[in-house]
Amino acid sequence: MWDRRSFAVAMPAEEVRSTHQDTLLGNVWHLVNPLLTVAVYYLVFAVFLKANRGIDNYLLWLTVGVFTFGLTTRSVLAGATSITANVGLMRAMRFPRALLPVSTVLGRLLTFGFELLAIGFVAVITGQGLSRRTLLLPLVLVIHTGFNMGAAFVAARLNDSYRDVQQLIPFVFRLLMYVSGVMFPVRQYVDSANTPGFIRRAISLNPMVQLLDLYRWVFLGTPVDLLRTAELVGITAVVLIFGFRFFRVRELMYGRA
């Protein structure tokens, strides 16, 4: 895989370049699309549902949640189709099949760069600004990418065996969005004595909750729990190692169906 690393980088770079080449605004859509998405969520949850109560700078808080959760959603969904969409390529060339999920995750990470620019823009216009905490953003991205890559490996193998998986993933992430604190804080349910213990534990172990907390700490300075951050690193390592090994078991079978 290391010898073919240029292949894993060239594919997503070309995909990003060509995504909107036939449109008037071109790659500007990489910025416009996420900003329009945030505008819709802000209208619904802040203006209509008043979910912004008790949250300072809700616009930036929401922007960070929507973009970072969207990165995982797109990475796992693209990883699920990385094998089934490249059967012809696999039959024409010999290369480690694991490079396909890797390249799709890297491609979504490249487009996330545009969204990070949008987050920075929102931080500036809302008066939050950028602090020295942003220097630790690459470390957060490494953790996030490791988790996304492990989940993409699992999704790729499952979807190769059962093509229904790619249809189910959007529904799973739509449900996960509401229990990950993307649009409203879920910590209040963790800290509430009225919430059953298993629900509190499930929320606290949800890696997306911890990831969103880290990104919000970087851009907003909201508090993070060091123990839960350590749990996130452990979960990420387990997901990445298990996902890779789970995918590699069928290495010789991909592209033969």
Side-chain angles (χ1 to χ4, degrees), residues 96-107:
R97 304 318 191 207
L99 288 177
L100 292 174
V102 169
S103 67
T104 58
V105 172
L106 292 179

Side-chain angles (χ1 to χ4, degrees), residues 39-53 58-59 62 183:
V40 171
Y41 279 123
Y42 185 82
L43 180 65
V44 172
F45 288 94
V47 178
F48 294 142
L49 299 182
K50 305 298 182 183
N52 59 330
R53 294 173 181 171
Y58 180 74
L59 178 58
L62 177 67
M183 286 84 68

Side-chain angles (χ1 to χ4, degrees), residues 176 179-180 186-210 213 225-232 234-235:
L176 189 62
V179 296
S180 298
V186 295
R187 289 298 182 194
Q188 56 185 325
Y189 299 103
V190 176
D191 299 331
S192 174
N194 297 324
T195 304
F198 73 94
I199 294 180
R200 293 201 301 269
R201 189 58 179 166
I203 292 175
S204 64
L205 286 177
N206 181 354
M208 294 309 304
V209 176
Q210 318 305 329
D213 283 351
D225 189 309
L226 292 180
L227 177 59
R228 288 170 175 167
T229 301
E231 289 178 347
L232 170 63
I235 291 172

Side-chain angles (χ1 to χ4, degrees), residues 53-173:
R53 294 173 181 171
I55 302 177
D56 296 330
N57 200 347
Y58 180 74
L59 178 58
L60 180 57
W61 191 91
L62 177 67
T63 302
V64 172
V66 170
F67 287 178
T68 54
F69 187 86
L71 173 60
T72 296
T73 303
R74 294 190 302 273
S75 297
V76 176
L77 185 57
T81 59
S82 61
I83 297 298
T84 56
N86 290 285
V87 173
L89 179 64
M90 288 186 290
R91 291 175 178 173
M93 297 176 57
R94 296 188 63 182
F95 60 90
R97 304 318 191 207
L99 288 177
L100 292 174
V102 169
S103 67
T104 58
V105 172
L106 292 179
R108 275 59 194 175
L109 184 61
L110 287 175
T111 58
F112 186 61
F114 293 95
E115 298 179 350
L116 286 176
L117 290 176
I119 292 175
F121 174 74
V122 173
V124 171
I125 65 172
T126 57
Q128 183 71 37
L130 299 175
S131 72
R132 286 178 294 180
R133 293 186 303 273
T134 55
L135 296 176
L136 294 177
L137 180 60
L139 181 59
V140 178
L141 287 171
V142 168
I143 298 172
H144 195 180
T145 302
F147 177 80
N148 291 345
M149 202 164 288
F153 280 132
V154 174
R157 176 179 166 179
L158 291 177
N159 193 62
D160 182 64
S161 302
Y162 310 101
R163 303 301 170 86
D164 301 309
V165 170
Q166 68 189 65
Q167 306 298 331
L168 294 174
I169 287 176
F171 295 98
V172 172
F173 275 95

